[in-house]
Amino acid sequence: MTPSIAIVGASLAGLSALRALRARGFPGPITLIGDEPHLPYERPALSKQFLHTGQPTALLEEHSETAQLDAQWLLGHRATGFTPGARIAVPRDNGHPTARESRHSIKLKDGRTVVADIVILATGARPRRLPGVPDAHYLRDLDDAHRLRILLSGAKNLGIVGAGFIGAEVASAARGLGVEVTLIDTSAVPGSGALGETVASACAALHARNGVRLLTSARIEAVRPDAIHLVGGTRVAADAVLVGIGSLPNTEWASSGNPLLHSPNGFPVDDLGRTAIPGVYAIGDCARVTDPVTSGHTRSEHWHAAITQANTVAAAITGTAPPPRTAPYFWSHQYGKLLQLAGDPTAATGLRVIDGALNGESFTVLYELDDIPVAVCALDNPRLFTRHRKHLDRALAVAH
């Protein structure tokens, strides 16, 4: 008997899992549950072109794709509880019991329950809140983006708390709309955790070149209606405040009462996306994945990771060949430029500029370990970047 599957989360990871399952020939019933009423759309675009156009970018190629995917869509329905299946004894004709797994149950906010043999958890993450600032704006979903777009249409001075990729991209979009922007970050070199200090410093220089004030090693003392006050006395004019200080995985709804799903930073899964509960998988921003090389656990919030994890889980469920292992990858659009990174810069002991200059408008750098590239980063050089990214992917394919 073909099992049924419920995918909880209808954004990129959940939709990618649905697509991958059908592409790999899974014939059974699939239910896709999403807490937003909208069909899946591209979240990365919300901090970029959406703030100019007001038009979301759909993830579905066309509306007819929903029919082609042959799934039950439950949009606008938040999952609020999860009861995993258990091994139960079922009597046979000869009187001897046999064991089988009971079905998993997902409780929805409206009181309904969805049951399935297999569950894929893809509930994403939510913005980390800044305590004591109830009027601050955040950017995670389409409704947030609509509110921010309206805000920017009337703002003169935007204060952004957090100079990560969300903060940097909104700063870029706001400058394009003629808004004065100040970026505030607690770190000395924003982005150094992902890019390393040298490259992060080069990227930070983009802000100054585009008229954005960047305040580093800064801590907030208070936020008033017209200004942000920093420890030390600096006052930042701000008639609007956006906060981008990271995210928290949406796991509580399922991990409450289920210790096997509990983790401080995402549902813990192995390198195939399996949780400790048989028949339950987790992917995307809510998953804390085991790295097969280092055995460490990481939570990635990037487009490439969501799609890769979805394909890996679909392969595990259907018993088909897993996708080849590829280097982690992400990109960012800022001030009309494309920033790309592939690989693991934290594994490097050296850095080599192979094109352009770090203080210029374009560069490409290799991060190396014992003269062997482990990552590549480029600003506005997609062709050379793609060549070296392919080298990294081929090296991983050979190693595994």
Side-chain angles (χ1 to χ4, degrees), residues 84 258-262 267-270 273-282:
N258 292 312
L260 292 178
L261 293 177
H262 181 73
F267 296 119
V269 297
D270 64 13
R274 300 175 297 194
T275 71
I277 299 174
V280 179
Y281 300 79

Side-chain angles (χ1 to χ4, degrees), residues 42 90-91 123 136 212 218 241-242 244 260 274 288 308 363 366 396:
E42 292 189 10
V90 180
T123 44
V212 171
V241 177
L242 174 78
L260 292 178
R274 300 175 297 194
R288 191 163 170 261
T308 299
F363 62 76
L366 289 179
L396 284 171

Side-chain angles (χ1 to χ4, degrees), residues 108-175:
L108 305 183
K109 187 176 181 180
D110 65 2
R112 279 190 285 178
T113 297
V114 175
V115 295
D117 300 296
I118 297 170
V119 173
I120 301 174
L121 307 172
T123 44
R126 62 189 183 278
R128 189 182 295 274
R129 301 280 163 169
L130 184 64
V133 190
D135 296 328
H137 291 262
Y138 297 84
L139 181 56
R140 179 64 186 180
D141 60 27
L142 187 56
D143 293 338
D144 291 337
H146 277 298
R147 286 189 290 267
L148 180 60
R149 187 167 186 268
I150 293 170
L151 182 75
L152 292 179
S153 68
K156 294 178 60 178
N157 296 285
L158 174 66
I160 301 178
V161 181
F165 291 109
I166 289 291
E169 289 173 356
V170 173
S172 170
R175 284 301 295 144

Side-chain angles (χ1 to χ4, degrees), residues 5-8 31 33 78-84 103-108 111-116 118-121 253:
I5 296 178
I7 302 172
V8 191
T31 300
I33 303 166
R78 181 181 296 275
T80 58
F82 177 67
T83 302
R103 305 177 84 192
H104 307 293
S105 299
I106 301 145
K107 184 178 179 181
L108 305 183
R112 279 190 285 178
T113 297
V114 175
V115 295
I118 297 170
V119 173
I120 301 174
L121 307 172
W253 70 275

Side-chain angles (χ1 to χ4, degrees), residues 40-375:
Y41 56 86
E42 292 189 10
R43 291 187 190 274
L46 298 181
S47 58
K48 307 176 184 72
Q49 60 264 35
F50 178 87
L51 296 178
H52 292 276
T53 68
Q55 297 297 318
T57 304
L59 279 173
L60 291 165
E61 295 176 4
E62 52 186 20
H63 284 283
S64 61
E65 188 185 2
T66 59
Q68 296 168 6
L69 291 171
D70 187 25
Q72 180 185 12
W73 294 69
L74 294 178
L75 300 179
H77 294 279
R78 181 181 296 275
T80 58
F82 177 67
T83 302
R87 293 186 65 83
I88 58 177
V90 180
R92 295 190 301 188
D93 292 341
N94 61 10
H96 297 290
T98 185
R100 70 170 176 82
E101 297 288 339
S102 64
R103 305 177 84 192
H104 307 293
S105 299
I106 301 145
K107 184 178 179 181
L108 305 183
K109 187 176 181 180
D110 65 2
R112 279 190 285 178
T113 297
V114 175
V115 295
D117 300 296
I118 297 170
V119 173
I120 301 174
L121 307 172
T123 44
R126 62 189 183 278
R128 189 182 295 274
R129 301 280 163 169
L130 184 64
V133 190
D135 296 328
H137 291 262
Y138 297 84
L139 181 56
R140 179 64 186 180
D141 60 27
L142 187 56
D143 293 338
D144 291 337
H146 277 298
R147 286 189 290 267
L148 180 60
R149 187 167 186 268
I150 293 170
L151 182 75
L152 292 179
S153 68
K156 294 178 60 178
N157 296 285
L158 174 66
I160 301 178
V161 181
F165 291 109
I166 289 291
E169 289 173 356
V170 173
S172 170
R175 284 301 295 144
L177 294 169
V179 180
E180 296 296 322
V181 180
T182 301
L183 270 170
I184 303 166
D185 203 274
T186 57
S187 66
V189 184
S192 58
L195 301 170
E197 286 195 10
T198 302
V199 176
S201 295
C203 292
L206 279 174
H207 301 306
R209 292 205 293 269
N210 287 275
V212 171
R213 182 186 183 193
L214 175 61
L215 301 178
T216 59
S217 301
R219 298 193 176 277
I220 294 174
E221 183 176 85
V223 177
R224 308 299 183 201
D226 61 345
I228 300 172
H229 296 262
L230 304 181
V231 173
T234 300
R235 178 183 180 277
V236 177
D239 48 3
V241 177
L242 174 78
V243 175
I245 54 174
S247 68
L248 297 170
N250 292 322
T251 58
E252 296 87 352
W253 70 275
S255 61
S256 177
N258 292 312
L260 292 178
L261 293 177
H262 181 73
S263 171
N265 192 30
F267 296 119
V269 297
D270 64 13
D271 59 326
L272 296 180
R274 300 175 297 194
T275 71
I277 299 174
V280 179
Y281 300 79
I283 57 176
D285 295 359
C286 67
R288 191 163 170 261
V289 183
T290 302
D291 187 305
V293 176
T294 65
S295 296
H297 292 77
T298 58
R299 186 169 69 89
S300 176
E301 297 182 77
H302 301 297
W303 174 287
H304 177 260
I307 295 176
T308 299
Q309 291 169 22
N311 276 280
T312 298
V313 163
I317 291 172
T318 58
T320 53
R325 188 162 184 258
T326 57
Y329 167 68
F330 74 83
W331 76 94
S332 177
H333 289 280
Q334 300 174 29
Y335 309 107
K337 295 187 174 296
L338 174 63
L339 176 69
Q340 295 173 285
L341 175 73
D344 181 12
T346 64
T349 55
L351 186 73
R352 181 160 57 98
V353 179
I354 60 172
D355 189 75
L358 288 172
N359 61 355
E361 295 299 312
S362 174
F363 62 76
T364 304
V365 300
L366 289 179
Y367 299 81
E368 297 176 323
L369 174 64
D370 298 330
D371 297 324
I372 298 174
V374 292

